[in-house]
Amino acid sequence: MIIVTAGHVDHGKTHLLQALTGTDTDRLPEEQKRGLTIDLGYAFMPLSSYHQSSDNQQSDNPEASPDNILGFIDVPGHEKFLSNMLAGVGTARHAMFVVASDEGLMPQSYEHLKILHLLAIESLTVVLTKSDKVSKEQQQNREAELERVLTQYGFSSWKLFACSAYTGDGIAELKQHLKALTDKCNQQPKTINSFRLAIDRAFTVKGTGLVVTGTALSGRVKIGDHLYLASRQLQKPIKIRVRSLHCQGKKAEQAHADQRVALNLSGDIDKDKLSRGDWLFAIEPQAPSSRITVTLKADQAIKHWQQVQVFHVASHITARLALLEQQHIDAGQSGLAELVFDNPLHITEQDKLLIRDPAAKISLGSATAIELSPPTRGKRKPERLTRLNQRATLTQPQNILQLSLQNAPVHIDDFCWQHQLSPEDLSKQVDNDKQQIIQSWLCHFSYLEDLENHIIESLTLYHQNCCDHLGIGRDRLHRMATLSHPKTIVDHLLQVMVNKNKLCNTRGWLHLPQHQLQLTAEEQILWQQIESEFEKAKAPLWIRDIAKACNREEKALRLFSYKLAQLGFITAIVKDRYCTNRALITIADIIRRKIAEEKKLETADFRNLTGLGRKVAVQLLEYFDKIGFTRRYQNHRLLRDEGLFKE
């Protein structure tokens, strides 16, 4: 367990930790020279290994388990070093708020208290230090003042202690409280989230190599594990291995969430490429987020598109705050907003953020990440805002998953990253009676049913509007009717529909089963006449030419051509000009071979290969583009749908 200190400068935070742990957390020469905490300091206190003696001294047991060692992060109290203070507070869930009895609450006391409240610290221990410098009556007045201010700032529970780091008064009682708090924390069930650590220091140890330290925010890590290092100075995350580790100040085999961890890393890493705010992940990280959706809790009035400073764990960055439901939020109100970062951050859902003004002088409020990839359009649609407000009330991944599946399929890798879950942990949340995994997607059965009905409706309309076409290519159907749905799911569903005879696939053309006809005996004779004319011409024919050759009325032959097209015998490449499907298959094979050889197809090459005139050659190429077999790029063609025009 980790406790972070907070409080005004020179109120005795460092001396209190020294009395509790025996460690002076002011490690920098400048800190020791000035008697002022500048950067983060760390100390540890074994809880199961000390006994209370007459002189109130703690005896150390080197065999103490890391779970029975309480870690402290000592943060600066001076306002000039507030960013360092926030880097320490951002990684902890428990805080010890320190106020000097002889001075009482000071400006930074109020600022630190506000920050602790905005970040929703889980437990607060309040310590009145320097109790030896005030009378009993003064002490009582300080306690009453503290209780009033804590209530005013919105804290509902806390424990208050008065002690002196110089005389030792009250130190034993404070230790007992901290031990009980740690025991309670250890008894809580551990989350299933994967390991994640925010780096706050990186240094090289002679004979050991690179060491990074930080507070583990979730999961477990052990010696030999492979992790991903994500740094703002690296183009992409790199894979490293844990050579050895220390946990809560002791050498250990493994460590878990809410512990101070030092990791000796092996891999192709340059220490100069690391800085505070970089990350170690057990899951391969996705690209950092440039925009996220948050629930915003305002402590000061906030305007739409206001520039702000965002503090996230050990990082801070400038951003714009776009309100989604109104143009401004008053102090004490909450709402939905989008944060647009000036530089992207590695962030996950449910992460807490502190929002301050651009000069980082005033805390404007706090935010919780609820969406890592907001849409670029329609972000203020009423149905989306309703869903986001529902999402804002949920904290557990399984509940968030169920809500997400009501709206759309969930990409498994994305969801695992957003909530720091392994695929195995996510699979435990799947309801096999209601949900199905399709490759990398998780879908609800109702979603698949609605999508199937939509495909059938789209094909029905297509058959009505294009009655002279047998069907439509798979890729074109996706672009026409299901573009907003993942292609992987659409392709899987189309195959399932074909297997269940809800769709037919005729030479690559998808159509409804009822969209089929048969020729009568008389029509068979007429088709044989027409087919012979195509064989003579060895090129697409106009309806008027076919009618003349077969001695038929042009209008009647046009109607018959629609039936032939539905049966898949001929296809209209332009209005009233047809080509047999057998000829199209032959031409398509020519195109496939040419593109396989040259990676592209020029119009002149196509004319030479087919022996057709320029006009009909262009009509054929434009037809192939239209139905999705090829794609025009500049002045040549590329292959688009390999599956069309195959026997």
Side-chain angles (χ1 to χ4, degrees):
M1 177 175 158
I2 298 292
I3 289 187
V4 64
T5 64
H8 193 76
V9 62
D10 201 30
H11 272 207
K13 297 186 294 296
T14 303
H15 286 151
L16 175 62
L17 291 185
Q18 191 168 9
L20 290 169
T21 67
T23 300
D24 184 359
T25 56
D26 284 344
R27 55 185 172 81
L28 301 177
E30 183 68 14
E31 291 177 320
Q32 296 172 357
K33 179 181 177 181
R34 297 171 62 182
L36 178 71
T37 300
I38 298 174
D39 202 357
L40 302 178
Y42 309 97
F44 304 96
M45 183 178 76
L47 296 172
S48 61
S49 59
Y50 73 87
H51 64 272
Q52 192 65 38
S53 62
S54 57
D55 57 359
N56 291 330
Q57 295 298 309
Q58 174 183 312
S59 64
D60 183 53
N61 175 7
E63 301 300 324
S65 165
D67 284 339
N68 290 320
I69 297 176
L70 177 59
F72 294 94
I73 302 177
D74 188 24
V75 304
H78 200 286
E79 62 178 346
K80 290 184 178 180
F81 310 116
L82 188 66
S83 62
N84 288 341
M85 179 267 182
L86 289 168
V89 173
T91 61
R93 297 190 300 149
H94 309 273
M96 188 160 64
F97 180 58
V98 178
V99 178
S101 298
D102 57 339
E103 290 189 350
L105 292 164
M106 299 293 283
Q108 286 305 113
S109 301
Y110 292 102
E111 182 68 12
H112 285 202
L113 199 59
K114 180 183 295 185
I115 290 169
L116 295 179
H117 176 63
L118 288 173
L119 292 178
I121 290 293
E122 292 183 14
S123 71
L124 181 66
T125 301
V126 182
V127 182
L128 278 166
T129 58
K130 306 182 183 181
S131 61
D132 56 311
K133 292 189 175 184
V134 297
S135 66
K136 185 176 181 180
E137 183 180 356
Q138 290 174 312
Q139 188 74 30
Q140 291 174 343
N141 290 337
R142 293 294 185 213
E143 291 177 4
E145 178 190 20
L146 268 171
E147 291 183 359
R148 177 180 57 80
V149 172
L150 288 167
T151 302
Q152 179 184 336
Y153 272 65
F155 290 94
S156 57
S157 63
W158 62 86
K159 289 287 186 179
L160 193 150
F161 297 87
C163 61
S164 170
Y166 294 92
T167 66
D169 290 342
I171 296 295
E173 290 80 2
L174 179 57
K175 284 182 176 179
Q176 290 295 337
H177 163 71
L178 296 175
K179 182 181 186 306
L181 188 61
T182 306
D183 290 342
K184 181 180 178 181
C185 182
N186 289 338
Q187 291 169 6
Q188 294 176 353
K190 302 301 181 185
T191 63
I192 61 174
N193 304 84
S194 297
F195 180 75
R196 183 168 66 130
L197 178 139
I199 296 173
D200 51 38
R201 290 180 64 203
F203 51 89
T204 302
V205 177
K206 188 175 181 180
T208 300
L210 178 66
V211 175
V212 299
T213 68
T215 300
L217 299 184
S218 62
R220 291 182 177 274
V221 65
K222 63 181 184 298
I223 295 174
D225 281 355
H226 286 87
L227 302 175
Y228 293 92
L229 172 65
S231 170
R232 286 164 288 187
Q233 299 186 60
L234 296 173
Q235 290 186 349
K236 62 179 183 179
I238 60 175
K239 199 170 186 178
I240 54 88
R241 186 177 66 86
V242 179
R243 182 182 295 162
S244 62
L245 66 84
H246 280 67
C247 173
Q248 299 292 76
K250 284 188 172 291
K251 192 172 183 179
E253 294 293 320
Q254 63 177 4
H256 59 70
D258 298 323
Q259 291 182 326
R260 283 293 302 173
V261 185
L263 299 171
N264 175 211
L265 306 179
S266 66
D268 186 16
I269 320 166
D270 183 356
K271 182 183 76 70
D272 295 333
K273 295 288 186 181
L274 303 182
S275 58
R276 178 173 289 172
D278 292 340
W279 289 93
L280 287 174
F281 297 103
I283 298 176
E284 184 173 4
Q286 295 186 350
S289 301
S290 297
R291 299 181 301 121
I292 64 170
T293 306
V294 300
T295 54
L296 180 66
K297 181 180 179 181
D299 192 67
Q300 302 286 333
I302 297 176
K303 299 182 297 182
H304 173 66
W305 205 240
Q306 182 170 339
Q307 190 173 14
V308 295
Q309 282 262 16
V310 178
F311 290 80
H312 171 241
V313 192
S315 304
H316 65 92
I317 198 168
T318 53
R320 288 281 184 177
L321 191 60
L323 302 180
L324 297 180
E325 297 174 295
Q326 59 259 66
Q327 288 298 307
H328 71 277
I329 293 181
D330 294 329
Q333 292 184 341
S334 299
L336 297 170
E338 183 175 288
L339 277 170
V340 183
F341 302 123
D342 289 345
N343 291 297
L345 284 178
H346 276 109
I347 196 167
T348 63
E349 289 195 21
Q350 298 303 119
D351 279 1
K352 301 287 185 183
L353 304 103
L354 184 71
I355 311 297
R356 291 174 67 83
D357 71 304
K361 296 291 185 181
I362 303 172
S363 293
L364 300 177
S366 61
T368 302
I370 61 171
E371 188 181 46
L372 304 188
S373 301
T376 54
R377 295 183 177 181
K379 61 184 68 178
R380 292 179 174 83
K381 287 184 176 179
E383 57 270 23
R384 177 173 183 265
L385 296 180
T386 298
R387 180 176 58 81
L388 287 174
N389 279 306
Q390 291 176 326
R391 164 65 184 86
T393 64
L394 305 176
T395 58
Q396 297 303 313
Q398 58 267 33
N399 297 330
I400 297 170
L401 179 64
Q402 301 310 316
L403 176 65
S404 300
L405 287 171
Q406 293 176 14
N407 181 63
V410 170
H411 194 278
I412 292 174
D413 291 343
D414 290 349
F415 193 86
C416 286
W417 164 253
Q418 292 161 5
H419 298 275
Q420 292 297 289
L421 299 172
S422 68
E424 295 75 20
D425 291 329
L426 179 61
S427 65
K428 297 175 184 177
Q429 313 296 330
V430 176
D431 184 350
N432 293 319
D433 293 331
K434 298 180 180 179
Q435 297 152 12
Q436 179 181 358
I437 294 177
I438 300 175
Q439 294 187 27
S440 56
W441 292 90
L442 178 61
C443 313
H444 198 282
F445 287 161
S446 62
Y447 163 79
L448 294 174
E449 184 179 348
D450 290 343
L451 182 56
E452 180 180 305
N453 291 334
H454 177 66
I455 290 172
I456 292 174
E457 290 171 3
S458 299
L459 275 174
T460 301
L461 183 62
Y462 178 80
H463 291 328
Q464 292 172 355
N465 295 333
C466 303
C467 59
D468 58 342
H469 287 75
L470 174 62
I472 188 171
R474 186 183 299 263
D475 284 356
R476 188 181 176 202
L477 175 62
H478 176 58
R479 294 193 302 275
M480 185 181 76
T482 62
L483 194 57
S484 61
H485 302 270
K487 191 173 184 302
T488 300
I489 297 176
V490 174
D491 287 344
H492 171 84
L493 185 58
L494 289 175
Q495 189 59 52
V496 170
M497 293 173 70
V498 169
N499 294 342
K500 292 182 177 180
N501 295 322
K502 294 183 177 181
L503 282 183
C504 291
N505 186 339
T506 305
R507 296 183 294 278
W509 303 107
L510 294 173
H511 58 92
L512 297 176
Q514 61 269 28
H515 187 67
Q516 290 183 348
L517 300 172
Q518 289 184 347
L519 296 179
T520 64
E522 183 181 349
E523 289 172 336
Q524 284 279 8
I525 296 172
L526 178 57
W527 162 237
Q528 290 173 4
Q529 288 181 290
I530 294 172
E531 189 176 26
S532 65
E533 294 299 323
F534 276 110
E535 289 176 355
K536 291 177 188 177
K538 297 187 183 303
L541 294 175
W542 294 100
I543 284 292
R544 62 176 178 270
D545 295 329
I546 301 173
K548 184 177 180 181
C550 296
N551 196 23
R552 300 278 178 159
E553 289 185 5
E554 187 175 325
K555 182 178 180 181
L557 195 60
R558 183 176 290 109
L559 293 174
F560 182 54
S561 69
Y562 294 160
K563 187 172 183 178
L564 292 174
Q566 288 178 320
L567 288 167
F569 293 132
I570 61 175
T571 296
I573 59 172
V574 294
K575 183 176 175 58
D576 273 2
R577 194 171 199 177
Y578 286 86
C579 183
T580 64
N581 277 328
R582 186 180 302 171
L584 286 176
I585 291 171
T586 302
I587 295 171
D589 287 339
I590 293 172
I591 293 174
R592 260 190 287 265
R593 287 195 297 270
K594 185 63 176 177
I595 293 178
E597 293 171 2
E598 306 290 339
K599 307 302 181 186
K600 63 181 181 179
L601 176 70
E602 302 283 355
T603 303
D605 292 334
F606 179 68
R607 289 175 56 201
N608 293 334
L609 289 168
T610 58
L612 297 170
R614 176 175 176 78
K615 182 175 181 180
V616 68
V618 170
Q619 288 176 344
L620 277 166
L621 288 174
E622 289 178 347
Y623 164 76
F624 284 132
D625 293 340
K626 176 183 175 182
I627 56 90
F629 177 63
T630 57
R631 174 171 64 90
R632 181 172 179 174
Y633 179 73
Q634 296 179 351
N635 291 322
H636 57 266
R637 261 75 181 180
L638 303 175
L639 198 60
R640 188 169 200 168
D641 189 349
E642 171 71 21
L644 287 178
F645 300 107
K646 286 188 175 181
E647 290 286 5

